Every structure is written in structure tokens, then in C-alpha cells.
Amino acid sequence: MMREELQSGLTVLHLMVHRYRKVYVAFPLYLLFLIVMFHLPKRWAPDVLLGFLLVPFGLGLLWTVFGFVNADADIASSDTAYSSWILRLPLKTRSLAIWPMLAATAWGIGSWLILSLLCLKYRFTDVSIAWPALAVAALALIFQAILWPPVKVGSMRMVLAMTLPTAVALFGTIATANKWTAEVICEVYAGICLAAAGFGYAGLVNARTTPSRGKLKRESVEAVSDIAVIQHSKKPFRSPEAAQFWLEWRMQGRLLPLLTILVLALASVGLFFERDDIIQVSSVYTYVNSSGHTIGSSFNQNFFLKTYLPLLPWVPLVLATIIGLGARPASLRGADGAFHLYHATRPLSPSQMYWAKMKSIGAGTLLACGATVLVMLVWGILPINESMVSATMTKWGPLPHYGRSSFLATELTSMDAQGTLRLTLMLWAVCLVTFTLWTWRNQAVGACMDYVSSAKLAKAYPLAVVIVSASIITIWQSSQSLYQVPQGLWLLCGVLTLWIAAKAAVAAFGLLKLKKLRPSESSGASMAIAGWLAAGSVAAIALGVVEHSEGEYNFYMCLRHPVPELLAFVLVPVARPILARIALETGRHR
Amino acid sequence: MGQGQRQRKDRRWTVAETVIEVKGLGRTFGNHRALDGVNLTLERGTVLGLVGQNGAGKTTLIKHLLGLLRAEEGTVRVFGKDPVADPPGVLSRIGYLSEEGDLPMWMKVEELVRYSAAFYPGWDQQYCDTLQKEFGLSSSAKLGSLSKGQRARAGLLVALAFRPELLLLDEPSSGLDPIVRRDILGAIIRTIADEGRTVLFSSHLLAEVEQVSDRVVMVQAGKVVLDEELADVKETHHRIEIAFEQAVAAPIIEGAFGWQCEGNRWTAICRADIEDIQLAVDKSGGRLIRTVGVSLDDIFMARSGSKLG
């Protein structure tokens, strides 16, 4: 009996991971390599290098654990994401559920234990072992619980898959920062694991015993198919471009504002519980009195608002980055890379298709950023307890008066008193504009993956972006000493110049390619390059001015002129938009 | 003779206007030669049946006509234009329906109609409503929740509602029930009835092709092996049965293909005049037992090397 059960389990696991078996061999080899590297003397394997080598760990772990959910799952679908042909095998539901759950948790916990005990502990003393292991297990089980059961609305599952695992992953860090003990955090994670396993099992039972939602709906439609109702509830589109904009808006544009509003709403829940959570800020106003003593004053502030209000502009930006990486179905092509025949045969030029997408992304970005500003204002004007409403200057220094006021009023009073009001407001305005542009940019550069007709490339793109970004951050974080010496300036200048040269070369190659493929529209690519030079120049001037005004306070030596100016040309997109245009051309007309 | 052919015969055009012109079209996918020197001309008002085995190159040819594939060799012109160079100019005049359907499943029928209507200046909303009623498609139904047959009808609805000058149908009735197939055939016949409309119809169901086409093109391994008026095809092709005194190798008769042997008797499909066949048989030392007319199905089977029925 036990032997049969084990055999069934092994069969299920084999079927789940067989297609990606090379990854399951490569990941342990990578771990082995890490163990060797961490055991080398520090002069051979400096912390910078080790930090860099750790970058693929998270991705590899996520990928291999996800294999036990279903590596080819369509998150946006409303049907079960459990591989349908494995689901139909003559095996007990128990075998189909429990073995992948055990395998996913064992793989996740095992990988973390190997990394933490055999690698990290050798270099760093302060490494938590238990709760991160349970967090990985909880994540694996949550993915199974979200993806295995059929759901009513596919997009609801997508929202859950984007938010719930993030919240669970962040919980441990936030709880540790709030001085929760490791035991309590472990207990919470164990509870999450049990609940997720229960949901996952029930979901699989549901997936096995009920027909797909598509089929259910079909049957209900067939039953009334003899009653055809002709409706024209909406006006016709005024132009093909308007119709295409509508399509892109439905497929991609509206996703960002919807997700942003959801996250902002969830974040706002915390405010209602934390409205009275005040902290005392000391030495806000300081001056030297006649006796030569420094006098300081203090006043109370709302901890929640002080901490989280500045984080809100990041919400649309982070979500746009995730969406831009391809975390949703492409509008024109299927998962296999082939363009949908219906969309590919619309009587539109590739340029019209492209600009419809860009406009829908722009509209979505404006809405998302607008909603964020609105929520920030609401947070700011909500009355909270124990804020400083005014201050009277006495011979002992400013005397704050407390009462019930809005956070914004407190902040403005504080800034006014410090003489930084104008500068801060300007800074906020510049930040909002920058964040809005950056949000649009992150979605726009990712749009090229919507058109690329290679399924492999589309899957590899998010991985490549994450690895490159993580590598840059790791190197940056690990090399602070280098960036604080004058030589760092020239090193960074060299790297950025090479980067710009690579971008320019790709753009020029794209221009030539597009000229060959569609001579009538090559001016568009030339415009893109001209736009890059123009937007890059504006950004370079802006960053240059910031550097000039903040120059002496610069934390990094290497951020002095001409680094900000070069950085502007690196950040303003040119290569990927042109590549997107080529991908659309070659994908639609292969 | 099919209804389409009858209507076609009634309105023979005096001045032929070329709708499709394909010259020396070649295409290779990896090591596979999908199309090899294909030449095809289609005049306005013609109903062309495109037949061939799976992988013969029918869909590849149609994708070239739609501009979804660039011509590696040769040229493709639809309405005198290159469909890759001018997609709006060509696609706005073509109604297209494929086996895959590939409609956006998240749309409702009403949304599909509204979205599709935006692209065609000649969209006839009244005709669209008539077809929608006829097909029993509810405006509020989501495409993803429709059955395969209903989805095919929805695809047909948006392919026909703007009264396209050229209707391209790529295996439209494959895997569908007889009622939906009848709707599709009905649509083709209606399109033919519209003065000056042209249809290119690819199908495995040769009985349907016979019913509506007035010209047949057969593609085999990327090459056009037959391109004739349907009436001529049926007139010039015969099934022949030859008997010999003793078992011999397949006789050599010009125009004969798909030879099959049973004892000392050979059967084949032959494209020649009866007199010429008789002469050739006499020359080979055999005796012509009988010649009978053949269906398109027989010709297709013989060309593809399958056993004749």
C-alpha cells in the first residue's frame, strides 16, 4: 500500500518536473558551487563577488519550487492551473496533492538550509535560519493554493498571485523589524502553511470534480442559444485607432490603475489602525542660546504616515515594472509566441498598433499616478491625534502646541518653521513628475516583449532584467568604498559611456533593420533616436542641476558631473522601443 | 453542379480583373520546403477551392496572401498591392476565417462586432444584425463561453458583415458539426451571389469544395499539382481499369497516376481523352476494361498516394 502510494507520488513528481529536469540538476550544482565559493579565503572570494553570485539564488529557488505548482501555468486563466493531463491520470487526489506539496516545501526548505547553514553562516553571523525556511515553504504552498483551484475570474487569481505571496514574503522582515521573536514568526508561518495546504487540497478536489468554468458557461449559453439578443449599447468607435486603443486599454492599460488602486486601498487599511501611533521626534528645531548651549525641541509625529507616505509614489512604479516584465498575457500573441490571427489580420499598420499600446500605457500611468497623489493627499489631510499644530518661539526655544490636526498641516508648519517649505514642495513636484515618467517608461520598455514572437525570449526577458538589475544593485551596494574615492567617478563614467554606446549601437542597428523591413516607417525610428537625444538632454540638464545644487552633500564622490548627465541618457529609453517596433514587424509579417 | 457554380455560370465576366497574383512563391521553414515555385492567379468573381493534404502548404499560401508571411522567393499581390507593404490597404478588403478561429476570447459578441466594425468603412450593420440573428448569437455572450461551432459563426459574422471583396476561408468547417458547416457554405454562396465577390476556400471536405467552387487548385508538398476549372477537372479525369494476361509491372500511360494493382488488373486515375487512353492501353499490351468518371475526392486520394475506394 505504502509502496504503491510512493510510486504514485514519484510518478506525479516526475511528470511535473521532467520537462525542466535540467534546471533541477543545475540548481543543486549551483548550490554546490556557492558552498565552495563561501569556503574560500576572503582574499580569493571577496564579499562583493559572493553577493554577486547570490543573485540567481532567489530566482532559481522560485523557478524550481514553481515546478511543483505547474511551470507552464497560465495565471490569468480561470480554469485550474494544475496540469490537465496529469489531473486525468487514474491516481488518487491525495497523491496528486500531497506529493507536490511535500516536494515543494522540502525543496524550498532544503535549499534555504543549505544556503544559510553551509554558505551564509560562514561569512555573516546574523542570519535567521528557521523563519525564512518556513517562509519559503509557505510561499510554495500559497502558489499551489492560488493556482490549483478553478476560480470565477481569471484576473482575480492574477491579483492574488501578485499580492498575497509578496505580503507573505515581506511579513517576516517587517515582523523582525518590529521586534517579533523568531518563534512567533515561525508559528505564524506554520499557520499559513497549514491553511495554504488545506486550501490547495480543497482546490484540487474542486478542480477534479467540477468541469472547467468555460465548459459550464458554454452549456448555459447553449441552453439559450436560440434566443439571439441584438444589442448596440455603445456607440461605434470613431476610428480604427480608437478601437485599437480600446483593445490595448482592456488588455494592458487599465491593469496598472486597477492594481494601484487595490494596493493603495490595502495600504490605507493600516492607517485606520495606526492613526494614533505617534513617535517623538527630537531636536527638530535647534539653536544656540546666549549661554552657548544648544537648545533643541521635540514634537510628536505619526509613525505610520511618516514611514509609509513617502513610499506611496513607489506603488505604481513597482507595479508598472512587474507588468512591464510580462506578468500578464500579451495582447497580440499567444504564449507560444505566434501572433493571434484575428489580431494580426486587423487592417492596421504596425505603427498604428504600436502607438495604440503606448497611448493606453500612458493613460493607465496617468490614472495610476493621479490616484496615488489623491490617496497621498487624503492621507495627509486626515486628522490624526497628537500632532503639533503650532509653535511659539520663546527664549528657551520653540514651544510646540499639540492638538488634533492633519499630518500635512503639521509637516507644512514644520517645514515653514525650518524655512524649507518651498524647496520641499518643489522637490515633491519634481519627484512626482519623475516617478510618473519612470512608471510609463518601465511599462513602455517592457512592451517589446508583447510583440516578440519567440516564446523562449519572452520567458527569458524578465529573468534577464531581474538578474541585470540585481547584479547592478549588488555591485553598487558592495562597492561603496570605491564610489567614495575620486577614481570611482571615472570608473562609473567609463561604464555609463559603454552602456550608452551599446544602446546607440542597438538603436542604429534597429533603424537600419526597420528601414529594410518597412522603408515607409523608418522615419519613426529616426524620430525615436531624436526623441532619445532630446529627452536625454532635458533629463541630463535636470539631473545636472540637481547635482549642482546638492553637490557638496553628495554621499558618493562618483555621482559628480558628468555622471548624472550620462545616467540620463542611460535611463531614457531608445533601444527597446525600436526593438519592440521591429519585433512587431517581424512577428506579424514573419 | 453546385449552386455556386450555377450562379457563377450565369455571370461570366467580360473583363477579368485580377484579385490575387502569386508568382514563383517559395518558402522554407528550417529544412522543410513549405512552398516551392507556386504560381496562382485569381480573377474577380471566382470561387477557388484550395485542396491538399495536411502540411501541403495551403495555410502557408493563405498566410502569404494575408501578409502574415513575407515572400522569401517570388511575389504576392492582392488587389495589385503587396500585403506586407500595405496591410491596411489589403486587409480592409479581405474577410478571413480560419480553422483556429483565434478570436479574442475575453470579448463579448457585442464587443467583437463593435471592435471589428471600426476597421471596415463598408461595414453593414443591418446585414450584421441579420446574420447575428440567423446564427443565434447573443450579444451578451462571451466568446470564451461559446461552443466551437458558435465561435466559428461569430468569426464568420465579422468576416462577412462588411461584404468583403475577397473572402479567404482556411479550413473553416474543420471539426464542426453539419449545421455549422451548412451555415459556412451558405455564407459562401451568399457571397458569390453578391456581384463581383471572390472566394478562396481551403478545405479537406472535398464534397463541399465540389459544391461551391468553380476552380480547384491542388497543392502537394508545396507545389501546385493541379489548377483547373472544376468542370474541366471532372471532364478530363477518368478512373481506368486495365487487365493483362498475366501480372505485370504498372503500365506507362501518360497522365495516369495513383496506380494500384490487384492480381493482373491495374486501376488508376488518368487525365487524358478516352481515345488517347485506349491507344496507350493497347500499346502496353493490356485491355481497357472500363473507364468511369471520378469525384474530386478520388483525384485527391490518387494524387496523395492513398488507396482508391
Side-chain angles (χ1 to χ4, degrees), chain A residues 507-518:
Chain A
F509 162 78
L511 183 64
L512 291 175
K513 176 97 176 164
L514 197 59
K515 208 168 187 174
K516 193 178 161 193
L517 290 172
R518 192 166 291 279

Side-chain angles (χ1 to χ4, degrees), chain A residues 46-58:
Chain A
D47 286 351
V48 182
L49 178 68
L50 294 182
F52 183 73
L53 293 176
L54 278 175
V55 171
F57 177 80

Side-chain angles (χ1 to χ4, degrees), chain A residues 534-549:
Chain A
S537 304
V538 172
I541 292 167
L543 287 181
V545 169
V546 171
E547 199 281 330
H548 182 72
S549 56

